[in-house]
Amino acid sequence: MPTEPVPQGPTPATAAPEGPTAPTRRTFIATGTAVGTTVVAGGVLGTGLLPGSEAAAAASAPSSRLSLTVNGTRHTVTVNNRTSLLDLLREHLGLTGSKKGCDAGACGACTVLVDGRRQNACLTLAVRMEGAEVTTIEGLADGDQLHALQQAFIDEDAFQCGYCTPGQILSGVACIQEGHTRSREEIAEWMSGNICRCGCYPKIVTAVQQAAGKK
């Protein structure tokens, strides 16, 4: 009697020999991150910086001695050559009326008058001020008598938070002295370097007009 052939099934898969497998994207990123962290940590720990060494380096930085007049008072100071006029006024002379806003010359909060011309104190190196005449917001009033523009800002309510106000007033004083007050549009144009985040621009322009006698 003939024997029926036995059905042949699929041949069982043969296990591949064990060996190193190709890294997945996840393991590759994890490994790279770990290595990078080790390198950074090694770089930081290997610098050999001791506590206080940064302060010592700053103290040994080149410095200069200069004399300048601020609000009618003569000052002779020694400052780091990288010190800005704004930091000289605020940190060395205690005149904090000039504000540090953007510290990049874009907002005008630090505007002061240097030899009668408006200037961003944050962009001006103090060492360049030898012999200069600097006027800040503290030097505008004559005793208890406010400057005409300071009074106009009060009369016209030309401020809210007040942070930009010192720079606005100093810039407005220069704007009047320069003769750029023939119209509201001209005032706005020549005051455009001073930003008011509270949006008091119409009242600021009106205050400048009042102080200039154009209102």
Side-chain angles (χ1 to χ4, degrees), residues 45-120:
L45 295 177
T47 56
L49 290 178
L50 299 176
S53 61
E54 292 184 3
S60 62
S63 60
S64 297
R65 187 176 179 85
L66 70 146
S67 294
L68 72 166
T69 300
V70 181
N71 300 330
T73 302
R74 191 73 171 174
H75 297 274
T76 299
V77 294
T78 300
V79 295
N80 185 302
N81 287 350
R82 297 170 295 181
T83 301
S84 68
L85 173 58
L86 179 59
D87 285 339
L88 170 63
L89 294 172
R90 292 179 57 84
E91 307 300 333
H92 293 258
L93 303 183
L95 299 173
T96 57
S98 302
K99 303 305 181 186
K100 181 175 286 193
C102 65
D103 208 22
C107 72
C110 66
T111 303
V112 296
L113 302 183
V114 178
D115 296 329
R117 302 183 63 181
R118 48 184 153 176
Q119 200 158 319
N120 289 329

Side-chain angles (χ1 to χ4, degrees), residues 115-193:
D115 296 329
R117 302 183 63 181
R118 48 184 153 176
Q119 200 158 319
N120 289 329
C122 73
L123 294 184
T124 305
L125 287 175
V127 293
R128 300 186 63 186
M129 294 293 100
E130 175 64 38
E133 297 267 352
V134 179
T135 302
T136 70
I137 191 67
E138 291 92 342
L140 279 185
D142 183 9
D144 294 332
Q145 182 65 41
L146 294 177
H147 185 279
L149 188 53
Q150 289 177 305
Q151 187 61 55
F153 262 68
I154 296 174
D155 295 342
E156 299 298 334
D157 194 22
F159 51 87
Q160 286 188 37
C161 77
Y163 196 84
C164 73
T165 303
Q168 296 279 2
I169 292 177
L170 268 297
S171 187
V173 168
C175 186
I176 294 170
Q177 293 175 349
E178 294 160 5
H180 299 303
T181 58
R182 289 170 292 186
S183 67
R184 292 184 65 87
E185 292 72 22
E186 184 177 29
I187 293 172
E189 174 66 24
W190 286 89
M191 292 284 291
S192 60

Side-chain angles (χ1 to χ4, degrees), residues 34-46:
V35 172
T37 303
T38 303
V39 171
V40 172
V44 172
L45 295 177

